[in-house]
Amino acid sequence: MITTEWAIAWARATPAFYERDPVGTPYVGRLDFRPAHAGFDPHTEILASDIPSHYCRVTPHLYTPEEVTSLLEATSSLRPELRGLTYATLLALLSVTGLRTGEACRLNDADIESGILQAKDSNFGKSRDIPIHETTLTILRAYAKVRDRLRTTTTTSALFITGRGTRLYASNLGRAFSRLRKLAGISTSPEARPTRLHDFLHSFATDTLLDWYRSGEDVQANCRY
């Protein structure tokens, strides 16, 4: 049985949203399945229409070149050496390609044999090809060589690996990135959430659009896909 009291309590149990909306109902609108559920359980309550319900989309942080440089410099503090090297290369790649963190972590050594990266299992299970500049490819290949010298195991074909030699997963990046963000001195206003790795994608997209406008390119044609 789903009641109005339970629905609001559930919405308020989401701290990141509750802090920005003390009324505590930004997620209540996502319980749109309740009318259908009432067909199975007649005790299910339908929220009154006057209860506020909205979704707060996070405003992305647009990294400046100086902030990216500071983040890359901060990776030298990570240990072991392989870990710092991996994070430096990963952050640099995110900043110049617009890859999502999950896409970057799913890259394998075979993906850097050509100048096109294959972003596998992206949004909605789709994959996409991302052409990269020759300088980026050179850096990735240089990373792979040093990585192979520092690694202690060869049990994975992953491009980006942990200090233990296993594949790096996007779900495990948060703590290290939080430390790098602090060392780099990147802060936001008190009411805003901390900057994210995902903000590299927004920064890349924004910079690309601005470059197209400044160079007089046909932005609509470039965005046709």
Side-chain angles (χ1 to χ4, degrees), residues 14-15 20 24 47 62-63 67 76 85 103 109 116 134 157 185 191 197 201 217:
T14 310
R20 290 200 298 273
L47 281 182
L62 302 182
Y63 291 108
E67 288 175 333
S76 62
L85 176 66
E103 294 171 338
D109 284 343
I116 299 179
E134 184 63 31
S157 61
E191 65 274 8
L197 282 165
L201 185 155
E217 294 189 41

Side-chain angles (χ1 to χ4, degrees), residues 3 14 22 35 41 61 83 105 116 138 149 155 158-159 163 166-167 171 174 209:
T3 65
T14 310
D41 186 347
H61 176 83
R83 187 171 181 235
C105 289
I116 299 179
T138 298
R149 177 172 56 82
T155 59
L159 175 61
T166 58
R167 181 181 292 275
S171 58
L209 286 172

Side-chain angles (χ1 to χ4, degrees), residues 9-25:
W10 175 78
R12 286 178 171 172
T14 310
F17 290 88
Y18 180 57
E19 290 172 1
R20 290 200 298 273
D21 185 357
V23 174
T25 55

Side-chain angles (χ1 to χ4, degrees), residues 7-108:
I8 294 178
W10 175 78
R12 286 178 171 172
T14 310
F17 290 88
Y18 180 57
E19 290 172 1
R20 290 200 298 273
D21 185 357
V23 174
T25 55
Y27 259 12
V28 171
R30 295 195 170 190
L31 293 174
D32 293 335
F33 62 85
R34 284 173 296 108
H37 191 273
F40 298 97
D41 186 347
H43 298 291
T44 294
E45 298 177 5
I46 307 302
L47 281 182
S49 59
D50 59 348
I51 293 181
S53 171
H54 64 277
Y55 171 65
C56 300
R57 181 176 293 277
V58 176
T59 301
H61 176 83
L62 302 182
Y63 291 108
T64 66
E66 293 75 20
E67 288 175 333
V68 174
T69 298
S70 295
L71 284 169
L72 295 180
E73 292 175 346
T75 60
S76 62
S77 67
L78 298 179
R79 293 292 181 271
E81 181 183 354
L82 175 57
R83 187 171 181 235
L85 176 66
T86 295
Y87 273 82
T89 309
L90 174 65
L91 295 184
L93 181 64
L94 294 178
S95 70
V96 300
T97 61
L99 277 170
R100 297 177 176 86
T101 52
E103 294 171 338
C105 289
R106 285 190 290 272
L107 292 174
N108 295 317

Side-chain angles (χ1 to χ4, degrees), residues 89 92-93 96-97 114-115 131-143:
T89 309
L93 181 64
V96 300
T97 61
S114 67
I132 57 176
H133 195 273
E134 184 63 31
T135 55
T136 302
L137 190 60
T138 298
I139 291 174
L140 291 177
R141 289 172 175 169
Y143 159 76

